[in-house]
Amino acid sequence: MAHVELSLSEVFAPSAGTSTEQESDNVGQWSGTVSRAAEPCLLIDADTTVLAISSAGCELLCLGAPEDVIGRPLLEGGLRLVDFTAHPNELTEQDTEKIPPLLALHSKQLARGLLRVKGPGDDAGTTVDAISTPVLSDGRVAGSLTFFFKV
């Protein structure tokens, strides 16, 4: 059987004058990536303020444009989460604490779960799979990064 080896060291080699240590601005690096992403994704800081969201993320979560959401707390930026009952009701504060972006912040671990997002004129809501990971800066949790997929 043939053996294939892939090396990407030259692609990721630091340019002259850059540090080889992990940057303390890890959140800033992810912010740029999320803002340019074609996939639905979101980056919040430790205070749950939206630092970056992709256009696809705004569309999937019924949030308007990224500039309308960035800088606002996640749950105060127009995100309407409802339960999975036949007649959806807004989630309680206790339930919203368990959504993956917030759970990743508090648990300092990967979090995954289903969300039901309700947009304007949407009676049933849209089910979204959310996968979140904590983002570290200087060894502590500084935010969470979430990727979404419509179910």
Side-chain angles (χ1 to χ4, degrees):
M1 177 177 275
H3 175 78
V4 178
E5 186 174 318
L6 174 64
S7 176
L8 299 174
S9 58
E10 291 180 22
V11 175
F12 295 107
S15 58
T18 59
S19 172
T20 56
E21 296 178 20
Q22 181 178 7
E23 294 293 324
S24 61
D25 190 18
N26 201 14
V27 174
Q29 291 177 7
W30 276 113
S31 181
T33 302
V34 168
S35 296
R36 294 184 305 272
E39 299 79 19
C41 51
L42 165 79
L43 177 68
I44 61 173
D45 68 10
D47 295 324
T48 76
T49 300
V50 176
L51 298 176
I53 186 166
S54 65
S55 295
C58 279
E59 183 178 328
L60 184 62
L61 300 176
C62 307
L63 293 174
E67 51 272 4
D68 299 333
V69 181
I70 294 172
R72 299 181 69 190
L74 175 63
L75 298 175
E76 295 175 21
L79 181 62
R80 293 191 57 214
L81 299 173
V82 294
D83 59 26
F84 286 92
T85 60
H87 302 287
N89 297 305
E90 296 276 336
L91 290 184
T92 64
E93 186 176 331
Q94 182 179 358
D95 289 333
T96 58
E97 288 295 318
K98 298 174 189 170
I99 66 171
L102 302 182
L103 191 56
L105 281 177
H106 303 304
S107 70
K108 300 175 183 154
Q109 298 178 19
L110 293 174
R112 183 175 189 180
L114 295 176
L115 303 174
R116 194 170 186 188
V117 180
K118 191 170 182 182
D122 183 9
D123 293 332
T126 301
T127 302
V128 176
D129 185 13
I131 301 171
S132 300
T133 183
V135 175
L136 303 178
S137 182
D138 295 326
R140 60 180 180 80
V141 176
S144 73
L145 173 63
T146 305
F147 291 93
F148 301 98
F149 182 77
K150 184 177 179 180
V151 178

